[in-house]
Amino acid sequence: MARPKSEDKRNAILAAATQVIAEQGLGAPTARIAKVAGVAEGTLFTYFESKDVLLNELYLSIKADMREVMMAAYPTAASMQARARHVWQMYVDWGVAFPDKRRAVAQLAVSDRLSESTRAAGMRAFADVNEMVQASTASGVLRDLPPAFVAAIMGSLADTTMEFIERDRAQAERYRNAGFEAFWNAVAKP
């Protein structure tokens, strides 16, 4: 009879994969991930049948963590600008607090190792934000841009903001505010 799987081991493997991928990229060997997790490589494959399964589950795990942080206390009744600022602030704070997760998910997002169903599930996690963008575009608050393009602008400017905060934490608030202002001016109708 097979032993039941441990949630702690699964989480340790995901945490190790995050760290190793952030450091070495997607080509990092599973043996290294297993070593950092403190498990045998065979154990890694007990939890994830292949490296691609591991990468897909890691992507969804990081996206779920990101969504949980970004949407905590989301001000649904606030103005579009206030809601966008909330999402921005929470995303930047998450990225600064978890640089390995940010780097790993960025590599995963451009990888051909993610399945289309994984990508779709990752997008569904942010359906609230996409609906907000579409409604704001329809009402004339935002420029008529596809939600994915708005998200890409936000992601690029947020990455720049996070990098500057990591270099000079004393200026974090200044960079966070300047980054949001640049984002808002790029997507809001004048």
Side-chain angles (χ1 to χ4, degrees):
M1 179 173 197
R3 292 191 327 189
K5 292 180 183 176
S6 160
E7 193 66 24
D8 289 341
K9 277 188 186 176
R10 182 182 187 284
N11 291 339
I13 294 167
L14 289 171
T18 300
Q19 177 189 336
V20 172
I21 289 168
E23 292 169 357
Q24 298 180 5
L26 297 176
T30 54
R32 175 76 179 132
I33 294 168
K35 183 177 181 180
V36 171
V39 301
E41 190 172 11
T43 301
L44 182 147
F45 290 112
T46 298
Y47 286 82
F48 305 96
E49 66 186 46
S50 69
K51 186 174 181 182
D52 283 349
V53 170
L54 170 62
L55 296 177
N56 278 264
E57 290 200 30
L58 178 61
Y59 178 80
L60 292 175
S61 174
I62 294 172
K63 285 290 213 174
D65 179 61
M66 186 190 310
R67 185 199 188 291
E68 185 176 317
V69 169
M70 288 172 63
M71 301 310 287
Y74 180 71
T76 53
S79 70
M80 168 56 191
Q81 186 173 4
R83 289 180 284 162
R85 182 178 289 277
H86 173 85
V87 169
W88 170 271
Q89 174 84 27
M90 301 308 281
Y91 176 58
V92 168
D93 289 353
W94 174 86
V96 170
F98 302 103
D100 283 352
K101 287 183 180 183
R102 178 171 61 93
R103 288 181 186 98
V105 81
Q107 291 185 51
L108 289 163
V110 296
S111 168
D112 61 357
R113 298 185 81 166
L114 293 184
S115 70
E116 287 306 314
S117 63
T118 295
R119 289 183 191 283
M123 288 299 291
R124 278 193 305 275
F126 294 92
D128 300 350
V129 175
N130 286 332
E131 289 171 15
M132 172 186 65
V133 169
Q134 290 172 340
S136 297
T137 300
S139 68
V141 173
L142 296 182
R143 298 173 197 267
D144 188 12
L145 301 169
F149 187 68
V150 172
I153 292 170
M154 181 182 201
S156 295
L157 289 170
D159 284 341
T160 300
T161 300
M162 290 180 243
E163 288 170 16
F164 273 81
I165 290 172
E166 287 174 352
R167 288 184 216 159
D168 185 4
R169 294 198 185 256
Q171 296 293 317
E173 193 62 27
R174 178 181 182 203
Y175 293 136
R176 191 179 292 111
N177 289 333
F180 179 77
E181 185 176 323
F183 165 70
W184 187 253
N185 288 332
V187 299
K189 277 193 175 176

mmCIF file of all heavy atoms in Angstrom, residues 3-7 10-11 69 89-90 95-96 105 109 113 119 136 143-144 150 158 160 163 175:
data_model
loop_
_atom_site.group_PDB
_atom_site.id
_atom_site.type_symbol
_atom_site.label_atom_id
_atom_site.label_comp_id
_atom_site.label_asym_id
_atom_site.label_seq_id
_atom_site.Cartn_x
_atom_site.Cartn_y
_atom_site.Cartn_z
ATOM 1 N N ARG A 3 2.235 4.953 0.610
ATOM 2 C CA ARG A 3 2.101 5.896 1.719
ATOM 3 C C ARG A 3 1.384 7.149 1.230
ATOM 4 O O ARG A 3 1.556 7.556 0.075
ATOM 5 C CB ARG A 3 3.481 6.288 2.252
ATOM 6 C CG ARG A 3 4.168 5.140 2.929
ATOM 7 C CD ARG A 3 5.400 5.527 3.682
ATOM 8 N NE ARG A 3 6.153 6.629 3.122
ATOM 9 C CZ ARG A 3 7.350 6.991 3.552
ATOM 10 N NH1 ARG A 3 7.920 6.344 4.536
ATOM 11 N NH2 ARG A 3 7.981 8.001 3.021
ATOM 12 N N PRO A 4 0.601 7.762 2.120
ATOM 13 C CA PRO A 4 -0.072 9.001 1.707
ATOM 14 C C PRO A 4 0.960 10.111 1.475
ATOM 15 O O PRO A 4 2.001 10.155 2.127
ATOM 16 C CB PRO A 4 -0.977 9.330 2.891
ATOM 17 C CG PRO A 4 -0.498 8.509 4.030
ATOM 18 C CD PRO A 4 0.278 7.367 3.482
ATOM 19 N N LYS A 5 0.647 10.951 0.528
ATOM 20 C CA LYS A 5 1.541 12.061 0.224
ATOM 21 C C LYS A 5 1.431 13.127 1.302
ATOM 22 O O LYS A 5 0.350 13.386 1.830
ATOM 23 C CB LYS A 5 1.195 12.653 -1.141
ATOM 24 C CG LYS A 5 1.496 11.700 -2.282
ATOM 25 C CD LYS A 5 1.141 12.329 -3.608
ATOM 26 C CE LYS A 5 1.380 11.362 -4.751
ATOM 27 N NZ LYS A 5 0.952 11.922 -6.020
ATOM 28 N N SER A 6 2.552 13.755 1.575
ATOM 29 C CA SER A 6 2.628 14.800 2.590
ATOM 30 C C SER A 6 2.505 16.176 1.931
ATOM 31 O O SER A 6 3.242 16.488 0.992
ATOM 32 C CB SER A 6 3.964 14.695 3.322
ATOM 33 O OG SER A 6 4.292 15.898 3.961
ATOM 34 N N GLU A 7 1.598 16.980 2.431
ATOM 35 C CA GLU A 7 1.444 18.344 1.919
ATOM 36 C C GLU A 7 2.711 19.156 2.193
ATOM 37 O O GLU A 7 3.106 20.009 1.398
ATOM 38 C CB GLU A 7 0.210 19.009 2.547
ATOM 39 C CG GLU A 7 -0.211 20.290 1.876
ATOM 40 C CD GLU A 7 -0.708 20.108 0.442
ATOM 41 O OE1 GLU A 7 -1.158 19.007 0.070
ATOM 42 O OE2 GLU A 7 -0.639 21.080 -0.328
ATOM 43 N N ARG A 10 5.227 18.285 -0.519
ATOM 44 C CA ARG A 10 4.811 18.916 -1.777
ATOM 45 C C ARG A 10 5.157 20.402 -1.754
ATOM 46 O O ARG A 10 5.717 20.937 -2.713
ATOM 47 C CB ARG A 10 3.312 18.720 -1.983
ATOM 48 C CG ARG A 10 2.792 19.297 -3.276
ATOM 49 C CD ARG A 10 1.271 19.103 -3.388
ATOM 50 N NE ARG A 10 0.786 19.505 -4.673
ATOM 51 C CZ ARG A 10 0.619 20.767 -5.067
ATOM 52 N NH1 ARG A 10 0.906 21.760 -4.260
ATOM 53 N NH2 ARG A 10 0.174 21.044 -6.279
ATOM 54 N N ASN A 11 4.844 21.070 -0.645
ATOM 55 C CA ASN A 11 5.146 22.494 -0.513
ATOM 56 C C ASN A 11 6.644 22.762 -0.515
ATOM 57 O O ASN A 11 7.104 23.773 -1.056
ATOM 58 C CB ASN A 11 4.486 23.063 0.740
ATOM 59 C CG ASN A 11 2.976 23.113 0.610
ATOM 60 O OD1 ASN A 11 2.419 23.109 -0.485
ATOM 61 N ND2 ASN A 11 2.291 23.133 1.749
ATOM 62 N N VAL A 69 -2.825 37.817 -2.419
ATOM 63 C CA VAL A 69 -2.251 39.057 -1.895
ATOM 64 C C VAL A 69 -2.863 40.273 -2.587
ATOM 65 O O VAL A 69 -3.287 41.231 -1.936
ATOM 66 C CB VAL A 69 -0.711 39.056 -2.043
ATOM 67 C CG1 VAL A 69 -0.127 40.423 -1.759
ATOM 68 C CG2 VAL A 69 -0.102 38.006 -1.126
ATOM 69 N N GLN A 89 -0.342 48.456 -5.823
ATOM 70 C CA GLN A 89 0.375 48.484 -4.533
ATOM 71 C C GLN A 89 0.608 47.063 -4.017
ATOM 72 O O GLN A 89 1.711 46.722 -3.611
ATOM 73 C CB GLN A 89 -0.451 49.271 -3.508
ATOM 74 C CG GLN A 89 0.089 49.276 -2.099
ATOM 75 C CD GLN A 89 1.128 50.329 -1.882
ATOM 76 O OE1 GLN A 89 1.127 51.347 -2.565
ATOM 77 N NE2 GLN A 89 2.023 50.100 -0.946
ATOM 78 N N MET A 90 -0.423 46.259 -4.048
ATOM 79 C CA MET A 90 -0.310 44.905 -3.524
ATOM 80 C C MET A 90 0.634 44.059 -4.383
ATOM 81 O O MET A 90 1.417 43.269 -3.856
ATOM 82 C CB MET A 90 -1.688 44.248 -3.421
ATOM 83 C CG MET A 90 -2.671 45.018 -2.516
ATOM 84 S SD MET A 90 -2.041 45.398 -0.878
ATOM 85 C CE MET A 90 -2.279 43.831 -0.087
ATOM 86 N N GLY A 95 5.845 41.439 -4.999
ATOM 87 C CA GLY A 95 7.068 41.199 -5.771
ATOM 88 C C GLY A 95 8.337 41.547 -5.024
ATOM 89 O O GLY A 95 9.346 40.846 -5.143
ATOM 90 N N VAL A 96 8.281 42.601 -4.230
ATOM 91 C CA VAL A 96 9.444 42.989 -3.429
ATOM 92 C C VAL A 96 9.650 41.987 -2.286
ATOM 93 O O VAL A 96 10.777 41.605 -1.969
ATOM 94 C CB VAL A 96 9.293 44.431 -2.886
ATOM 95 C CG1 VAL A 96 10.359 44.767 -1.860
ATOM 96 C CG2 VAL A 96 9.331 45.434 -4.048
ATOM 97 N N VAL A 105 7.952 33.105 -11.747
ATOM 98 C CA VAL A 105 6.710 33.210 -12.531
ATOM 99 C C VAL A 105 6.955 33.963 -13.837
ATOM 100 O O VAL A 105 6.327 33.654 -14.855
ATOM 101 C CB VAL A 105 5.552 33.814 -11.699
ATOM 102 C CG1 VAL A 105 5.619 35.332 -11.621
ATOM 103 C CG2 VAL A 105 4.210 33.368 -12.247
ATOM 104 N N ALA A 109 6.030 32.262 -17.312
ATOM 105 C CA ALA A 109 5.023 32.910 -18.158
ATOM 106 C C ALA A 109 5.424 32.927 -19.629
ATOM 107 O O ALA A 109 4.558 32.904 -20.501
ATOM 108 C CB ALA A 109 4.752 34.327 -17.665
ATOM 109 N N ARG A 113 6.662 25.449 -21.867
ATOM 110 C CA ARG A 113 6.396 24.243 -21.075
ATOM 111 C C ARG A 113 5.067 24.315 -20.333
ATOM 112 O O ARG A 113 4.623 23.323 -19.764
ATOM 113 C CB ARG A 113 7.543 24.017 -20.098
ATOM 114 C CG ARG A 113 8.846 23.778 -20.894
ATOM 115 C CD ARG A 113 9.972 23.439 -20.045
ATOM 116 N NE ARG A 113 9.899 22.026 -19.704
ATOM 117 C CZ ARG A 113 10.920 21.369 -19.183
ATOM 118 N NH1 ARG A 113 12.058 21.983 -18.982
ATOM 119 N NH2 ARG A 113 10.800 20.102 -18.875
ATOM 120 N N ARG A 119 -2.264 28.103 -18.550
ATOM 121 C CA ARG A 119 -2.287 29.551 -18.832
ATOM 122 C C ARG A 119 -3.696 30.113 -18.620
ATOM 123 O O ARG A 119 -3.867 31.166 -18.023
ATOM 124 C CB ARG A 119 -1.831 29.830 -20.262
ATOM 125 C CG ARG A 119 -0.362 29.608 -20.474
ATOM 126 C CD ARG A 119 0.049 29.969 -21.907
ATOM 127 N NE ARG A 119 1.392 29.515 -22.175
ATOM 128 C CZ ARG A 119 2.500 30.102 -21.742
ATOM 129 N NH1 ARG A 119 2.421 31.187 -21.024
ATOM 130 N NH2 ARG A 119 3.684 29.609 -22.045
ATOM 131 N N SER A 136 -14.207 49.472 -17.270
ATOM 132 C CA SER A 136 -13.637 50.825 -17.270
ATOM 133 C C SER A 136 -13.370 51.317 -18.684
ATOM 134 O O SER A 136 -13.479 52.507 -18.955
ATOM 135 C CB SER A 136 -12.360 50.854 -16.435
ATOM 136 O OG SER A 136 -12.665 50.550 -15.090
ATOM 137 N N ARG A 143 -8.373 53.881 -21.798
ATOM 138 C CA ARG A 143 -8.217 53.836 -23.248
ATOM 139 C C ARG A 143 -8.723 52.472 -23.745
ATOM 140 O O ARG A 143 -8.728 51.507 -22.998
ATOM 141 C CB ARG A 143 -6.750 53.992 -23.637
ATOM 142 C CG ARG A 143 -6.154 55.311 -23.220
ATOM 143 C CD ARG A 143 -4.646 55.294 -23.486
ATOM 144 N NE ARG A 143 -3.976 56.340 -22.763
ATOM 145 C CZ ARG A 143 -3.708 57.550 -23.256
ATOM 146 N NH1 ARG A 143 -4.063 57.855 -24.485
ATOM 147 N NH2 ARG A 143 -3.096 58.441 -22.515
ATOM 148 N N ASP A 144 -9.106 52.408 -25.003
ATOM 149 C CA ASP A 144 -9.609 51.160 -25.573
ATOM 150 C C ASP A 144 -8.436 50.248 -25.924
ATOM 151 O O ASP A 144 -7.957 50.230 -27.057
ATOM 152 C CB ASP A 144 -10.468 51.456 -26.805
ATOM 153 C CG ASP A 144 -11.166 50.220 -27.323
ATOM 154 O OD1 ASP A 144 -11.173 49.196 -26.615
ATOM 155 O OD2 ASP A 144 -11.688 50.266 -28.453
ATOM 156 N N VAL A 150 -3.102 45.893 -21.205
ATOM 157 C CA VAL A 150 -3.078 46.694 -19.972
ATOM 158 C C VAL A 150 -2.286 45.940 -18.899
ATOM 159 O O VAL A 150 -1.438 46.535 -18.205
ATOM 160 C CB VAL A 150 -4.512 47.016 -19.484
ATOM 161 C CG1 VAL A 150 -4.493 47.681 -18.117
ATOM 162 C CG2 VAL A 150 -5.231 47.899 -20.503
ATOM 163 N N ALA A 158 5.614 47.603 -13.234
ATOM 164 C CA ALA A 158 5.758 47.099 -11.862
ATOM 165 C C ALA A 158 7.113 46.427 -11.683
ATOM 166 O O ALA A 158 7.764 46.610 -10.640
ATOM 167 C CB ALA A 158 4.624 46.130 -11.533
ATOM 168 N N THR A 160 9.891 47.148 -13.244
ATOM 169 C CA THR A 160 10.863 48.242 -13.144
ATOM 170 C C THR A 160 10.812 48.866 -11.756
ATOM 171 O O THR A 160 11.844 49.106 -11.128
ATOM 172 C CB THR A 160 10.588 49.303 -14.222
ATOM 173 O OG1 THR A 160 10.696 48.689 -15.510
ATOM 174 C CG2 THR A 160 11.552 50.468 -14.114
ATOM 175 N N GLU A 163 12.412 46.541 -9.194
ATOM 176 C CA GLU A 163 13.871 46.524 -9.305
ATOM 177 C C GLU A 163 14.480 47.760 -8.647
ATOM 178 O O GLU A 163 15.490 47.660 -7.951
ATOM 179 C CB GLU A 163 14.286 46.433 -10.776
ATOM 180 C CG GLU A 163 14.006 45.067 -11.373
ATOM 181 C CD GLU A 163 14.185 45.018 -12.876
ATOM 182 O OE1 GLU A 163 14.817 45.935 -13.451
ATOM 183 O OE2 GLU A 163 13.687 44.056 -13.487
ATOM 184 N N TYR A 175 9.246 55.417 -5.588
ATOM 185 C CA TYR A 175 9.212 54.594 -6.793
ATOM 186 C C TYR A 175 7.841 53.975 -7.009
ATOM 187 O O TYR A 175 7.350 53.904 -8.138
ATOM 188 C CB TYR A 175 10.275 53.493 -6.726
ATOM 189 C CG TYR A 175 11.692 54.015 -6.760
ATOM 190 C CD1 TYR A 175 12.644 53.506 -5.894
ATOM 191 C CD2 TYR A 175 12.091 55.003 -7.657
ATOM 192 C CE1 TYR A 175 13.955 53.971 -5.920
ATOM 193 C CE2 TYR A 175 13.388 55.472 -7.686
ATOM 194 C CZ TYR A 175 14.322 54.953 -6.814
ATOM 195 O OH TYR A 175 15.617 55.407 -6.841
#
